[in-house]
Amino acid sequence: MNPLESDLGVYVVSGLFALVVFAVAMTVLVTRTAVDLSVGTVAMFSVGFLLFVGVYFTAMAVYRGIDSREEVR
């Protein structure tokens, strides 16, 4: 089954894409600028993004739960 054939598959792929973009952006930030990973701003940005991703994947789990209940009826 193609993951892009369902709503959940699209959400998973877009979430993974967001993670890849974040990782690339952090790599460029650290390697091409004077910013270090120990800087508080970068650390807080990382924590905020990880919280966002956690909420994103939690929402997907809730979506699956709601979707599975609707299929039973």
Side-chain angles (χ1 to χ4, degrees):
M1 178 177 172
N2 185 354
L4 296 178
E5 291 179 359
S6 70
D7 289 343
L8 186 60
V10 172
Y11 298 148
V12 169
V13 170
S14 63
L16 293 174
F17 177 73
L19 285 171
V20 168
V21 169
F22 177 77
V24 169
M26 292 302 292
T27 302
V28 168
L29 181 70
V30 170
T31 58
R32 307 248 185 218
T33 65
V35 176
D36 189 16
L37 282 179
S38 63
V39 175
T41 304
V42 175
M44 292 309 291
F45 180 69
S46 299
V47 168
F49 183 77
L50 292 175
L51 286 172
F52 163 75
V53 169
V55 169
Y56 184 85
F57 283 107
T58 301
M60 281 195 312
V62 169
Y63 174 79
R64 281 183 91 179
I66 291 171
D67 197 35
S68 67
R69 288 185 202 157
E70 288 178 353
E71 291 176 1
V72 172
R73 296 180 186 176

